[in-house]
Amino acid sequence: MANSELGKLGIWSWLDSNTYEEVTDLAQAMEQMGYGTLWIPEAVGRDPFVSVAHVVANTTTLKVATGIANIYARDAMAMNAARQALDEMSGGRLVLGLGVSHGEMVSGLRQHEYGKPLSTMRAYLERMAGSFYAGPQPGKTGILLLAALREKMLGLSGEMADGAHPYFTTPEHTARAREIIGPDKSVAPEQMILRVTDASEARRIARSYMATYLALPNYCNNLLTLGFTEADFADGGSDRLVDAIVAWGSDQDIMDRIEAHWSAGADHVALQCLRQDGQQGFDMETVKVFAPNG
């Protein structure tokens, strides 16, 4: 298994509902708590590279990841320029996570033509590698990860990137990713966690967070390869599926799930600390409970 630069644990969170002052507080607290990486997603809110720049300017050691930057939002030259500039600014603390997003997001919202995922990503990475950049070269370049779920994109993650960042998946998928990618690249899955011990209430909250993803074919198609069926996607997700995607229960129950990812080959787990009120963002108490220095 790769010795990840990311640290063993990170935090993955939507931050658009938080002020930048609150984002600063989270990032600085994470540094003190021993977390390795803050993951900032991209969808329809703030540009993640603006948020990354803000975080690296207000921290000293924390890695900051795009989880995941949409390659349809910027051409390869612009993406490379953002990477170089942020690595210069941060001393190589950017973790550039790239993904092809979803047809619904790309052809629908962005009104771009959604190409075949594998060939589109391969061509994009080749263009990035050949991009002209006249700015100052960073002293250190941070790692590049791909959003990868299925076998071919996982293979590309090992071939042309420094590893993969799987999302909305399970320790069984982590084991598959490690096997495909090999021992020398990073496998950094996201894991939703929820500190609620009542099964009915935990599953109700979990389903509210899962709804968006169960409407996207990329995630459902991946889950089908892990032994789930179409029936598991109905009515907000079967209990079996909810329990597999969201680690809920006691703190020990949740820690067992994190350790299952490590045992399966993850060198980093990005915790999405779900709020009990169902709102986007992070639960700070959960962040504190699972802190590496806690």
Side-chain angles (χ1 to χ4, degrees):
M1 181 179 6
N3 182 15
S4 177
E5 298 182 26
L6 303 170
K8 292 197 73 174
L9 283 177
I11 297 295
W12 192 109
S13 181
W14 297 101
L15 297 172
D16 289 345
S17 297
N18 298 97
T19 66
Y20 271 125
E21 289 76 12
E22 291 170 333
V23 173
T24 298
D25 290 343
L26 170 65
Q28 292 178 347
M30 285 178 59
E31 252 185 357
Q32 295 172 357
M33 294 178 193
Y35 284 103
T37 305
L38 172 60
W39 296 80
I40 301 176
E42 175 169 40
V44 294
R46 294 180 182 131
D47 186 297
F49 292 102
V50 175
S51 297
V52 169
H54 175 82
V55 171
V56 299
N58 286 280
T59 53
T60 56
T61 60
L62 188 70
K63 299 285 196 309
V64 190
T66 55
I68 285 289
N70 183 348
I71 66 172
Y72 288 93
R74 301 156 198 88
D75 70 17
M77 187 171 180
M79 189 74 80
N80 181 63
R83 182 187 193 187
Q84 301 297 333
L86 284 167
D87 274 330
E88 177 196 356
M89 178 188 294
S90 68
R93 288 189 285 135
L94 172 67
V95 178
L96 182 61
L98 299 180
V100 296
S101 188
H102 305 270
E104 296 80 358
M105 297 287 291
V106 173
S107 58
L109 280 172
R110 294 188 181 275
Q111 299 185 18
H112 295 304
E113 182 179 350
Y114 190 69
K116 293 182 178 179
L118 189 72
S119 58
T120 299
M121 179 59 82
R122 180 182 292 276
Y124 190 90
L125 294 174
E126 289 171 348
R127 290 195 299 273
M128 271 190 71
S131 293
F132 177 73
Y133 178 67
Q137 293 297 310
K140 180 182 179 183
T141 299
I143 66 173
L144 168 65
L145 302 178
L146 302 186
L149 294 174
R150 306 287 292 278
E151 181 177 357
K152 291 181 179 178
M153 193 65 79
L154 287 167
L156 189 65
S157 301
E159 176 192 348
M160 296 187 69
D162 297 305
H165 173 52
Y167 184 90
F168 201 72
T169 187
T170 66
E172 291 75 19
H173 183 272
T174 295
R176 176 187 299 174
R178 173 56 68 196
E179 181 179 359
I180 293 170
I181 289 175
D184 300 324
K185 300 292 181 80
S186 289
V187 175
E190 170 271 348
Q191 175 64 61
M192 295 182 186
I193 63 175
L194 178 63
R195 296 180 70 233
V196 172
T197 56
D198 178 79
S200 177
E201 180 67 1
R203 289 170 178 153
R204 182 191 68 79
I205 297 168
R207 287 185 173 99
S208 72
Y209 285 102
M210 292 172 59
T212 296
Y213 305 109
L214 289 179
L216 295 170
N218 288 5
Y219 292 119
C220 292
N221 289 338
N222 178 59
L223 291 169
L224 291 173
T225 72
L226 294 171
F228 297 98
T229 69
E230 295 286 351
D232 286 303
F233 307 147
D235 301 319
S238 66
D239 287 353
R240 180 173 78 115
L241 178 60
V242 170
D243 296 352
I245 293 294
V246 179
W248 58 267
S250 70
D251 294 345
Q252 187 57 55
D253 291 333
I254 294 170
M255 197 66 223
D256 288 346
R257 179 71 60 85
I258 296 168
E259 290 176 348
H261 281 288
W262 287 337
S263 296
D267 40 13
H268 175 87
V269 180
L271 303 179
Q272 186 171 176
C273 301
L274 302 183
R275 292 168 46 138
Q276 295 183 22
D277 61 8
Q279 297 300 306
Q280 293 288 11
F282 56 92
D283 180 77
M284 194 63 192
E285 185 60 32
T286 304
V287 174
K288 292 176 181 177
V289 165
F290 293 96
N293 293 345

